[in-house]
Amino acid sequence: MLVTRRSAIATGAAATLIGMASPVRALTPTSDQELGPFYPVQHLADTDADLTHVQGLAGTANGTAINVVGRVLDIKGNPVSGARIEIWQANAGGRYRHSGDMNNKVPIDPNFQGYAILRTDRSGNFKFRTIKPGAYQIPDGRWRTPHIHFDVSGHNERMVTQMYFPGEKLNETDFIFATAASKPSVISRLDNALSGDPNTPAYGWDIVLVNG
Ligand code: FE
């Protein structure tokens, strides 16, 4: 926008008025997204926040390890403590640990947990370590861009959605991403400072439930 002196003054006046009223600025609610066919019908006993290892196995999941770090908030920005978060996702090759996944060209990775149950802390924070999920093709030939499924239960609200990655070419054509009321609300941001681990890329993503 071209900022003229007049518009700068007008903007300043508006800002002052907003400041005087001191309203709480509402956050954009995270858009919901469909559940999809691969919600785990059965999963491993290991449901902890490190999906790159399966308890009792010595190996490590194939693919690029990442951390996902975020908060669950209500629309006013208050943290939602104790929110329950279930996550599930495809492995690095784009295959789910699910009997219904017909992507049989790609094997299940025995060392990839694929599913976790998390709880936010008192400040609404959550964090998990996983593998960057691969894209996958569905039976009708269309591609799903890389994503992680979330089922989030706050105190007053439950939301099913999917988290996406920035800069993915397939985001532009993904038919489920296209249905998001607010696309920015479902795309994570690459922010390695969040990781606490210089060797692992970190993606930040906050989940906004309207009523917490
Ligand atoms: Fe999926």
Side-chain angles (χ1 to χ4, degrees):
M1 188 181 85
L2 178 68
V3 179
T4 62
R5 184 155 187 273
R6 181 180 286 179
S7 69
I9 291 166
T11 307
T16 304
L17 285 173
I18 290 165
M20 284 167 66
S22 62
V24 178
R25 174 172 280 214
L27 301 177
T28 302
T30 302
S31 297
D32 57 359
Q33 291 272 270
E34 68 176 60
L35 183 72
F38 301 128
Y39 176 80
V41 284
Q42 54 185 37
H43 49 73
L44 300 167
D46 184 0
T47 60
D48 72 3
D50 183 358
L51 287 78
T52 67
H53 282 107
V54 173
Q55 245 166 46
L57 298 182
T60 300
N62 291 319
T64 303
I66 61 171
N67 286 316
V68 178
V69 182
R71 299 175 79 195
V72 179
L73 304 167
D74 69 18
I75 200 166
K76 294 177 182 166
N78 300 310
V80 181
S81 63
R84 182 179 193 273
I85 304 176
E86 280 183 274
I87 53 171
W88 66 101
Q89 63 166 95
N91 67 26
R95 174 84 191 263
Y96 285 86
R97 187 189 280 274
H98 191 290
S99 57
D101 187 350
M102 296 305 169
N103 198 0
N104 290 323
K105 289 168 285 192
V106 181
I108 288 171
D109 179 349
N111 294 308
F112 182 54
Q113 192 173 299
Y115 171 85
I117 305 174
L118 315 169
R119 285 263 177 203
T120 58
D121 70 11
R122 290 180 57 158
S123 303
N125 297 299
F126 68 87
K127 179 177 181 179
F128 59 95
R129 180 178 169 84
T130 189
I131 292 293
K132 175 106 183 277
Y136 60 88
Q137 201 167 18
I138 62 170
D140 71 7
R142 291 181 293 178
W143 283 84
R144 288 303 325 279
T145 195
H147 60 276
I148 299 176
H149 294 265
F150 279 70
D151 182 350
V152 185
S153 299
H155 302 156
N156 303 302
E157 200 170 315
R158 180 177 179 189
M159 182 177 53
V160 172
T161 189
Q162 303 183 23
M163 184 199 96
Y164 298 90
F165 295 87
E168 293 288 333
K169 187 77 183 152
L170 284 168
N171 287 350
E172 296 164 21
T173 52
D174 189 278
F175 62 102
I176 295 177
F177 176 61
T179 66
S182 164
K183 294 186 179 68
S185 78
V186 289
I187 300 189
S188 59
R189 64 190 189 279
L190 181 63
D191 184 353
N192 289 346
L194 293 170
S195 193
D197 168 2
N199 299 314
T200 307
Y203 291 90
W205 189 53
D206 291 339
I207 299 163
V208 179
L209 303 176
V210 174
N211 298 306

